[in-house]
Amino acid sequence: MADFWVTEAMNGFGMTVQVTEELCSRQSKYQKIDVYQTSKLGRMLLLDGIIQLTEFDEFAYHEMLAHIPLFAHEDPRRLLVVGGGDGGVLREAGKHPELEVMDICEIDAEVIETSKRFFPGIACGFEDPRVHVHIADGSEFIRDKAGYYDVIIVDSTDPGGPGTPLFGERFYRDMKKALRPGGVIATQAESPYLLPEIVARLCKVSKQVFRSVGYASILVPTYPTGTIGACVAGDRDDIALPARPVPPELAAKLKYYNSAVHRAAFANPSFVTRLFE
């Protein structure tokens, strides 16, 4: 049995994980895709050397990125996920019976194929009959969807890869146009310790487009610095407050998200608040 260590290094930080087996290593049209069996964290997915998820703690990221915007909306019916080819956000969104349409626009079909093969407990999100898969560039796909969606969730890779256009001002304005009245967005917004300039830029752009904007912190041990966040925005009075309670039958299925965590995630330390003042 192999025994080696894989390190993700970015901007002076790193996360090193003990690996027992390499399960997959392939180069798609857009990025390098690696899957490892780890000694303590289950299977782990990396894109271009950046940890996307481990079976150990993926629930924290996927639950928060999905349920915060869905519960920030009073009555979501149509959802778009941009990116998210592992299926985790779809899995969580599928727990909302009120959703009628669940579109996903993923640029790299090989990420979906890899997740279905190696992460069936996550990729099960694709099995929902409400899901429609679109293999395309999300920044282009969204321009033809004016006034269609209630919630848009952007589960992107870091800037610098195929997700780069998803961090620009034009994309945020296009998302606003694609929403119906009362719509909500949530985007993967990096760690304020690791990439504070990205946090500041996304929140600034969002404030130029939406009435209410907040940065929600998420604790994910296997991401460098142990934190990541979501930029959540919409045209309502306070995006940090849930618009409706979590039904008991759904609450019983969740491991991280609840209404109290929803509110608390937006209570940022002073240095984070100053990033987008």
Side-chain angles (χ1 to χ4, degrees):
M1 182 174 65
D3 186 353
F4 58 99
W5 296 78
V6 170
T7 299
E8 172 193 340
M10 178 189 292
N11 206 22
F13 286 88
M15 173 63 68
T16 300
V17 178
Q18 187 179 35
V19 169
T20 58
E21 184 180 2
E22 180 184 275
L23 301 176
C24 172
S25 184
R26 62 197 295 191
Q27 180 68 46
S28 76
K29 178 181 177 181
Y30 299 98
Q31 57 207 331
K32 189 171 186 289
I33 304 171
D34 293 299
V35 179
Y36 297 102
Q37 180 67 49
T38 73
S39 61
K40 300 293 184 181
L41 308 175
R43 290 181 175 180
M44 177 172 68
L45 172 68
L46 286 81
L47 299 178
D48 283 339
I50 305 299
I51 296 172
Q52 303 301 303
L53 63 87
T54 74
E55 291 178 316
F56 170 71
D57 58 9
E58 55 83 16
F59 67 90
Y61 175 75
H62 288 134
E63 286 190 17
M64 291 290 276
L65 192 60
H67 298 302
I68 284 181
L70 287 168
F71 279 110
H73 195 286
E74 293 182 355
D75 186 25
R77 298 290 173 171
R78 299 175 184 169
L79 167 69
L80 171 64
V81 179
V82 178
D86 54 63
V89 168
L90 288 178
R91 181 194 65 197
E92 295 305 315
K95 297 172 182 176
H96 290 253
E98 68 275 11
L99 285 173
E100 299 168 355
V101 174
M102 296 167 58
D103 285 343
I104 179 169
C105 184
E106 165 63 55
I107 197 171
D108 194 344
E110 293 192 44
V111 173
I112 297 176
E113 295 169 7
T114 301
S115 188
K116 287 181 176 180
R117 179 181 175 187
F118 293 102
F119 300 94
I122 301 172
C124 60
F126 288 101
E127 299 171 6
D128 194 305
R130 295 169 291 175
V131 170
H132 302 276
V133 179
H134 306 270
I135 304 302
D137 184 331
S139 64
E140 298 176 358
F141 175 84
I142 203 169
R143 294 172 194 160
D144 298 324
K145 297 293 183 179
Y148 186 75
Y149 295 108
D150 296 306
V151 175
I152 299 173
I153 299 172
V154 183
D155 182 9
S156 65
T157 56
D158 296 323
T164 298
L166 308 182
F167 288 82
E169 180 178 348
R170 178 176 180 179
F171 180 62
Y172 276 70
R173 295 194 179 278
D174 287 340
M175 281 197 288
K176 172 65 178 293
K177 293 176 183 177
L179 290 173
R180 296 201 286 185
V184 177
I185 69 162
T187 65
Q188 188 274 107
E190 304 295 349
S191 164
Y193 291 100
L194 188 62
L195 293 169
E197 68 280 3
I198 299 297
V199 176
R201 176 153 59 88
L202 294 184
C203 291
K204 179 181 178 180
V205 167
S206 297
K207 283 187 173 183
Q208 293 172 348
V209 178
F210 295 94
R211 189 166 87 236
S212 180
V213 178
Y215 178 85
S217 297
I218 310 169
L219 301 177
V220 187
T222 53
Y223 290 157
T225 76
T227 64
I228 198 166
C231 179
V232 187
D235 289 327
R236 51 170 294 192
D237 291 336
D238 191 346
I239 202 70
L241 297 178
R244 52 199 172 92
V246 182
E249 60 273 19
L250 174 52
K253 301 176 183 178
L254 302 179
K255 298 168 69 175
Y256 193 108
Y257 178 88
N258 57 51
S259 296
V261 168
H262 182 131
R263 295 188 294 270
F266 291 91
N268 292 297
S270 297
F271 85 96
V272 178
T273 302
R274 294 186 187 113
L275 290 174
F276 42 88
E277 285 180 342

